Amino acid sequence: MERELKVPGIAYGGDYNPEQWPEEVWAEDVRLMAEAGVNMVSVNIFSWALLEPSEGEYDFSRLDRVLDLLYTHGIAADLATPTAAPPAWFFRAHPEALPVDRDGRGLWYGSRQTFCPSSPAYREAALRIARALGERYAEHPAVVMWHVHNEYGCHNAECFCDTSAHAFRRWLREKYADDLAALNDAWGTTFWSQWYYDWDEIIPPRATGAVPNPAHRLDWRRFCSDELLSLCKAEREVLAGAAPATPATTNFMVMYNFDALDYWRWAPELDIVSNDHYLRSTDPESEIDIAMSGDLVRSLAGGRPWLLMEHSTGAVNWQPVNRAKEPGELRRNALAHVARGADGIAYFQWRAAKAGAEQWHSAMLPHAGTDSVIWRDVVALGADLKALAEVRGSTGTAETAIVWDWDAKWALELPSQPSEAVRFLDLVRSWYEPLWRTGVAVDFVRPDADLSAYRLVLAPSLYLVDDAGAANLTGFAERGGTLVVGFHSGAVDQNCHVRLGGYPGAFREALGVRTDELFPLLPGQTVPLDTGGTGALWSERVRPGGAQVVSSYTEGPLTGVPAITRHGYGTGTAWYVATLPDAETLAALLHRVREESDVRPVLDAVLPPGVEAVRRRGADADYLFLIDHAGAGAEIAVASEAVELLGGKPVLGGSVSVPPGGVAVVREPRTA
């Protein structure tokens, strides 16, 4: 059944927590929501203790009044199951449901997500409250979407208790078809006398005196993601049984500081993909992180529009120093997410809390009230989103894909690698950034994805890849595509077993190279390249086996050894980048690769520095988003007969002015 969000235009709102305020405040809330253009709020996210004061005893009176109030004022509800924060009475009755950390220390309740994901008592209680909510509110006219849980795995992605150990063994028995010999082979347990003779001997990768088995640790990460997914699916099934036509979502966290869940496995289980995204205060160009996150979330959604479920109007409260947003940044951030496919913009939270752990987190209605810059910006953004209503449902188009794989990320960052400085996200961003700066549209793909829509596929970091994924990527090049592979890719299979015969393992033949030894670089060390620029972080002794040498090292133990190669493979081309080139050199390389692949940017003209250009494609028109992050403003050539939607005026003279630090959104007639 196709389930759609029945909210007109772009959804706009945030987490609404009326239980934190006297009831007389609620009337002011809905009045101000109308003023700001809010049309949907998420409610009930952390209300379990108030809804179920004791086991099986419910009090829905407050939530009834909240939902009725929202409906009366034309505001839709994204109704959450409150299962991210079980009440104290639950843990008094079921202390065995509390999580245990890697060192064997039991954790206590008193915050959120302090439960073991494998706890039968937790699962039973969570499904009970979800069922009660579903049955009571399935037909409530305010409820347009179910919000399952909140930020799965944010604080309890791993639990090392005995209950989790039992669940892990059950998961392993299913994965390895109850064949213990197959597990021993996959884990390489002949090393360090780790052979298992009984399933009950297997435990989670708890703290030990030396380096853990990488295959054990990797399967544990997979299990933990799947265990939380099983909870999400169970709640979703309960809600679907009560309200078959109502869509459901849960908020992902595709952002720099979270990697606990394999969202490629999660996304197909949701009717609508949604995401939470927060800026890192120390990132001087956080707009690149927004763009990369948005492209990845859109890709997880299968190219369909998605929802931004949480971000911040200003500062957050959980970083060492919590930076406030600069003038215009709130608007640019929100519209950058819309540009990348978001059909909904929401914040944590509606009204800034006066008590509790997040009292210093910004909100749509700040502590200062309506006489504040944030409030005025929130109201202005509501008007912007109303002006962009027709953009809803439009999609992105890309001829370039970047390979993203959580297995590869997890495996790369396990202990005892050649260099702990090699980090998956950093490498992917370094390759993504020059594409962003030139306005090249990018999708993210799994290694085994259908690549037929792309001309260019980049694999900046794919340390782990199975045979099927490797064959899919190399087959793309063989059939005429351009594949670019970064260093230390293809090194191990799905079990973290090294692919013997020389590096880069699974990609040797397609790349036409063979490496016999790795030479990771020390912190701060660089090596010059004969084509100009430098390499950092990594080098290796590459020997061409049919590949053309594009660039070589000019100093050090690898003087004269190739650093970048190009190889004709089948009817396509495969490149190997065996170091991390400096930003300018990497940008020039990707520009050359892109031109050879005939991949065009969103705009043919060169973008001014700091101006972001993104295009969404609608049924009858294209929507060009132009965002000035540099603060200098820009004049950008656009199609004739175009209309700038935020100002509601036709574009005259074939160009549009982007104000300093501002945004323009141009509707262009479809030309192809």
Side-chain angles (χ1 to χ4, degrees):
M1 176 185 293
E2 187 75 18
R3 302 178 180 93
E4 296 182 356
L5 181 63
K6 294 181 172 62
V7 174
I10 305 295
Y12 183 44
D15 287 11
Y16 182 40
N17 300 297
E19 68 274 8
Q20 297 176 9
W21 300 93
E23 193 159 348
E24 55 267 23
V25 175
W26 302 357
E28 181 186 34
D29 284 332
V30 293
R31 178 181 65 80
L32 293 175
M33 286 177 189
E35 182 179 330
V38 167
N39 58 10
M40 184 178 77
V41 292
S42 298
V43 294
N44 200 51
I45 291 175
F46 296 115
S47 298
W48 194 345
L50 299 178
L51 289 181
E52 190 177 8
S54 61
E55 184 171 344
E57 298 294 327
Y58 301 109
D59 180 1
F60 292 114
S61 57
R62 180 186 289 102
L63 185 55
D64 288 346
R65 296 195 300 277
V66 169
L67 292 175
D68 290 347
L69 180 67
L70 291 172
Y71 179 70
T72 300
H73 289 82
I75 300 166
D78 167 34
L79 181 58
T81 60
T83 52
W89 62 255
F90 170 79
F91 291 113
R92 289 187 66 194
H94 300 284
E96 77 283 0
L98 287 163
V100 174
D101 71 11
R102 187 186 306 275
D103 294 315
R105 297 175 301 177
L107 304 180
W108 291 93
Y109 58 89
S111 60
R112 64 178 185 174
Q113 289 189 339
T114 51
F115 63 86
C116 166
S118 300
S119 165
Y122 169 78
R123 180 182 289 258
E124 180 183 351
L127 296 185
R128 185 175 63 240
I129 188 71
R131 185 172 294 106
L133 282 164
E135 291 172 353
R136 187 173 187 89
Y137 297 113
E139 302 299 327
H140 196 289
V143 177
V144 296
M145 184 166 61
W146 299 114
H147 186 307
V148 181
H149 198 80
N150 183 73
E151 295 184 337
Y152 274 103
C154 184
H155 305 287
N156 65 339
E158 298 178 288
C159 174
F160 296 84
C161 72
D162 289 340
T163 301
S164 296
H166 177 76
F168 183 40
R169 289 190 286 268
R170 183 177 62 243
W171 183 90
L172 291 169
R173 295 184 80 147
E174 181 176 350
K175 176 177 180 178
Y176 293 101
D178 213 24
D179 185 348
L180 194 54
L183 178 140
N184 278 302
D185 180 65
W187 285 13
T189 55
T190 53
F191 189 82
W192 279 358
S193 189
Q194 294 174 344
W195 190 273
Y196 297 104
Y197 290 94
D198 191 291
W199 290 101
D200 288 340
E201 294 169 0
I202 300 172
I203 59 174
R206 295 166 175 153
T208 63
V211 177
N213 182 327
H216 182 181
R217 183 76 179 119
L218 181 59
D219 263 351
W220 171 255
R221 295 293 300 266
R222 293 163 171 159
F223 157 75
C224 290
S225 177
D226 282 356
E227 192 75 344
L228 286 165
L229 177 56
S230 74
L231 291 175
C232 180
K233 290 167 63 176
E235 285 196 33
R236 175 68 190 97
E237 289 168 6
V238 164
L239 296 168
T246 304
T249 191
T250 191
N251 40 344
F252 292 172
M253 290 176 287
V254 177
M255 50 190 290
Y256 70 92
N257 64 345
F258 185 80
D259 74 344
L261 307 180
D262 182 350
Y263 287 134
W264 289 122
R265 291 176 61 83
W266 282 64
E269 304 297 336
L270 302 175
D271 300 306
I272 299 171
V273 168
S274 64
N275 191 51
D276 294 354
H277 185 274
Y278 291 97
L279 307 183
R280 176 167 39 184
S281 290
T282 55
D283 186 348
E285 293 185 296
S286 55
E287 59 268 20
I288 300 174
D289 189 58
I290 291 175
M292 193 166 78
S293 171
D295 282 340
L296 179 50
V297 177
R298 185 191 66 250
S299 301
L300 289 167
R304 297 175 299 162
W306 51 279
L307 302 178
L308 180 65
M309 193 62 70
E310 286 184 30
H311 69 315
S312 67
T313 57
V316 298
N317 70 306
W318 40 266
Q319 299 182 28
V321 176
N322 295 294
R323 180 182 70 84
K325 291 189 177 181
E326 298 177 2
E329 193 174 3
L330 180 153
R331 185 185 195 225
R332 292 194 302 274
N333 289 172
L335 296 183
H337 286 291
V338 176
R340 302 278 165 181
D343 272 2
I345 295 295
Y347 291 95
F348 180 82
Q349 56 182 327
W350 162 251
R351 182 183 283 270
K354 66 178 181 179
E358 295 181 297
Q359 66 192 105
W360 292 110
H361 194 292
S362 61
M364 300 176 77
L365 183 61
H367 292 140
T370 57
D371 186 13
S372 62
V373 171
I374 281 182
W375 174 251
R376 288 187 282 274
D377 285 348
V378 163
V379 173
L381 177 61
D384 286 339
L385 296 177
K386 185 175 182 180
L388 297 178
E390 67 180 81
V391 172
R392 175 177 171 158
S394 58
T395 60
T397 58
E399 298 176 317
T400 298
I402 293 179
V403 181
W404 180 288
D405 185 62
W406 271 275
D407 270 0
K409 183 182 191 304
W410 294 338
L412 176 68
E413 296 174 6
L414 290 169
S416 293
Q417 283 287 326
S419 172
E420 66 179 16
V422 177
R423 311 294 292 178
F424 180 90
L425 181 60
D426 294 342
L427 290 174
V428 173
R429 174 160 166 168
S430 70
W431 288 42
Y432 178 88
E433 182 175 325
L435 302 174
W436 177 87
R437 292 192 188 282
T438 51
V440 174
V442 172
D443 286 342
F444 285 88
V445 293
R446 300 167 53 130
D448 59 352
D450 179 1
L451 304 176
S452 59
Y454 305 106
R455 297 175 182 269
L456 173 62
V457 173
L458 309 176
S461 182
L462 198 61
Y463 168 68
L464 177 151
V465 64
D466 64 16
D467 291 346
N472 186 52
L473 293 168
T474 57
F476 166 77
E478 191 173 18
R479 293 186 297 272
T482 299
L483 174 68
V484 188
V485 177
F487 63 81
H488 207 32
S489 293
V492 301
D493 66 13
Q494 68 273 16
N495 296 317
C496 280
H497 292 199
V498 174
R499 294 180 179 274
L500 303 179
Y503 320 116
F507 300 115
R508 280 196 312 266
E509 179 184 347
L511 296 174
V513 299
R514 180 178 180 274
T515 293
D516 71 332
E517 191 168 2
L518 308 176
F519 289 77
L521 301 177
L522 297 173
Q525 182 183 7
T526 60
V527 285
L529 305 175
D530 61 3
T531 49
T534 60
L537 199 64
W538 190 271
S539 62
E540 56 188 64
R541 190 158 52 212
V542 173
R543 185 176 70 205
Q548 168 196 354
V549 177
V550 175
S551 183
S552 300
Y553 306 110
T554 61
E555 291 181 9
L558 300 184
T559 297
V561 171
I564 302 172
T565 61
R566 180 183 185 276
H567 184 229
Y569 186 64
T571 57
T573 308
W575 293 70
Y576 188 46
V577 185
T579 188
L580 178 61
D582 64 84
E584 185 177 345
T585 302
L586 181 56
L589 172 65
L590 292 178
H591 179 77
R592 173 182 169 180
V593 169
R594 182 171 57 77
E595 290 211 321
E596 287 187 9
S597 308
D598 197 27
V599 170
R600 313 306 305 170
V602 168
L603 295 174
D604 289 331
V606 176
L607 288 171
V611 174
E612 179 177 5
V614 191
R615 192 183 302 278
R616 289 181 64 163
R617 171 149 291 192
D620 303 309
D622 288 347
Y623 301 97
L624 176 64
F625 286 72
L626 300 164
I627 307 172
D628 175 33
H629 300 285
E635 193 75 20
I636 304 293
V638 297
S640 58
E641 302 179 14
V643 174
E644 202 290 302
L645 296 179
L646 296 178
K649 297 179 180 178
V651 174
L652 303 176
S655 68
V656 65
S657 294
V658 184
V663 182
V665 182
V666 180
R667 183 212 298 134
E668 297 181 311
R670 176 65 50 77
T671 57

